[in-house]
Amino acid sequence: MSRGRTGRVGGRGLKGRVLLGLLPVFALLAGCSESRRDLAPSGRAADLAAPAPFVSAARENGEAKLAYRHDLTLGLGPDRVEPHFAAARDRCLKEAADCTLLRSSIRDGGGASQPRAQIEVRLKHASVATYVAFLTAPLPGEEPGDVALIAQETRAEDLTRALAETGRRLAQLNDYRNRLTALAEKPDNRAEDLIKIAGELAQVQSQIEEAEAQRRGLDQRVDTEIVTVSFRTHQARAGAFAPVREVWARSGPILGDSAASALRFTVASLPWLAIGLLAVLLLRLVWRIRRQRAQPARVRLEP
C-alpha cells in the first residue's frame, strides 16, 4: 500500500512540475493573441485608408482624345443611287450647323458600268446616329428591303499625345514671346538690338499662329466625326433573275461597248498585220533560197 501511494504521489508531483513549467508558455501565447487583437483594427483602417493605384487615378483624371471615322457601303438598285446620293447631300447642306460636306462624287452608269456615288461629311457627335439612320432608311415610295447595308467600319485615332505636345509647344512659345517683349521694353536698348528683337518676335508670332491652327484642327477632329458613305448597286434582294433583266435592259449600251472595243482592237492591229505579213514573206524567201541550194547537191549524189 505504501508503494502504491508513493507512486501516485510521485506521479502527481511530476504532473505539477510539468504544469508549472508550461505556465510561462501559456502566458506568452495569451499576450501574443491580445497583441494581435489590438493590432487588427489598426491594420484594417490602414487598408481602407490606402490610396488608389496610380493607373486608376490617371484614367479618372485624364480622358483619351479620339478622332472617329465611319465608313458605310449601301446597296441600292441601279435607278436608286442618284436619288439617295442627292438626299444625303441635301440633308447635310440643310443642316450646315451640325454637318459639313467635305466631298461628294457620282458616276453615271453609262455603258456596261454600274452607277456609283460617294459622299463624305463631318458631323458632331450627337448628329452621327441620326444621319446614319436617315441614310439607311428607304425614301418615300421605296420598300424597307430596297436599301441594304453591305459593309460598315469604324476607326478611331488617338490624338491625346499630339494635343499635349501642341499645348506644351504653345506654352513655350508664349513664354518666349513674353520674355522678348519684356526685353524690348528696356530703356537702354540700342537700335540694332531692337531690330533683332522685332525680327525674333515676328518669327515667334508666326510659329504661335501655326501651332494654334494645328491645335484647332486637332480639336475639331476630336469634337466631330467623319462619315463616308458609298452608294453601289446591289441586286441580291431583287430575285434570282435580276441580273438577267438588268443585262437585257442594258443590252444596247453593252453591244455598243463591245463593238467599240472590237473596232479599237482592229485599228490597233493594222500596223502589226503589215509587220507580220512582211515577216512571213521574208521567211518564205529564205526557205526557197535554202531549198534551191540543196537541190544541186542532191543531183550530184545521184549515180
Side-chain angles (χ1 to χ4, degrees):
M1 292 295 294
S2 61
R3 291 180 181 177
R5 292 179 180 176
T6 303
R8 287 194 296 269
V9 173
R12 292 178 180 176
L14 180 59
K15 292 180 180 179
R17 287 194 296 271
V18 172
L19 291 175
L20 290 175
L22 292 177
L23 284 177
V25 178
F26 292 153
L28 181 61
L29 292 175
C32 291
S33 61
E34 291 177 358
S35 61
R36 289 178 181 175
R37 285 194 299 268
D38 295 338
L39 291 175
S42 61
R44 286 193 295 270
D47 294 338
L48 293 175
F54 177 77
V55 176
S56 299
R59 289 179 180 176
E60 292 178 359
N61 295 332
E63 185 178 356
K65 306 296 183 180
L66 301 178
Y68 286 95
R69 176 182 289 270
H70 309 277
D71 296 329
L72 290 84
T73 302
L74 299 180
L76 304 165
D79 57 339
R80 305 309 301 167
V81 172
E82 194 277 334
H84 279 266
F85 168 77
R89 180 194 56 196
D90 297 342
R91 176 67 177 265
C92 183
L93 293 177
K94 290 179 181 178
E95 299 179 357
D98 298 332
C99 182
T100 302
L101 182 62
L102 301 179
R103 181 169 57 90
S104 64
S105 63
I106 185 171
R107 187 180 69 181
D108 188 14
S113 61
Q114 298 290 340
R116 291 186 179 182
Q118 190 176 55
I119 186 172
E120 183 174 291
V121 298
R122 184 188 299 276
L123 297 165
K124 294 183 178 180
H125 298 298
S127 303
V128 174
T130 305
Y131 189 76
V132 172
F134 172 77
L135 294 176
T136 55
L139 295 178
E142 295 180 346
E143 297 180 358
D146 293 340
V147 183
L149 182 60
I150 300 176
Q152 182 178 0
E153 181 183 2
T154 300
R155 292 169 291 173
E157 183 180 358
D158 193 354
L159 301 179
T160 307
R161 179 176 298 179
L163 283 169
E165 291 177 355
T166 305
R168 286 194 296 268
R169 186 164 177 264
L170 273 174
Q172 294 174 358
L173 290 173
N174 287 322
D175 181 66
Y176 185 42
R177 183 181 60 181
N178 295 335
R179 285 186 293 171
L180 288 174
T181 303
L183 185 62
E185 293 176 354
K186 289 185 177 181
D188 56 346
N189 288 327
R190 297 178 300 178
E192 298 178 357
D193 297 336
L194 292 175
I195 293 174
K196 291 181 180 180
I197 294 174
E200 192 69 17
L201 275 173
Q203 185 176 1
V204 172
Q205 183 63 32
S206 176
Q207 294 177 1
I208 290 175
E209 293 176 358
E210 181 181 355
E212 288 179 347
Q214 183 179 2
R215 186 180 63 179
R216 286 194 298 269
L218 294 174
D219 290 337
Q220 185 185 33
R221 293 180 60 187
V222 173
D223 296 337
T224 59
E225 302 180 20
I226 295 179
V227 179
T228 303
V229 187
S230 299
F231 302 93
R232 298 182 180 180
T233 57
H234 182 62
Q235 297 290 349
R237 301 186 181 182
F241 292 96
V244 178
R245 291 194 299 268
E246 182 182 354
V247 172
W248 178 256
R250 304 173 63 85
S251 58
I254 293 174
L255 181 61
D257 288 346
S258 300
S261 299
L263 180 61
R264 187 180 299 107
F265 176 77
T266 302
V267 173
S269 301
L270 287 177
W272 297 101
L273 290 176
I275 295 174
L277 181 60
L278 181 61
V280 171
L281 292 176
L282 289 175
L283 289 175
R284 290 187 64 182
L285 180 61
V286 172
W287 181 72
R288 287 180 179 180
I289 293 174
R290 293 187 62 182
R291 186 177 180 183
Q292 291 176 0
R293 289 180 180 178
Q295 286 180 354
R298 292 179 181 176
V299 171
R300 296 192 197 99
L301 292 176
E302 291 179 356

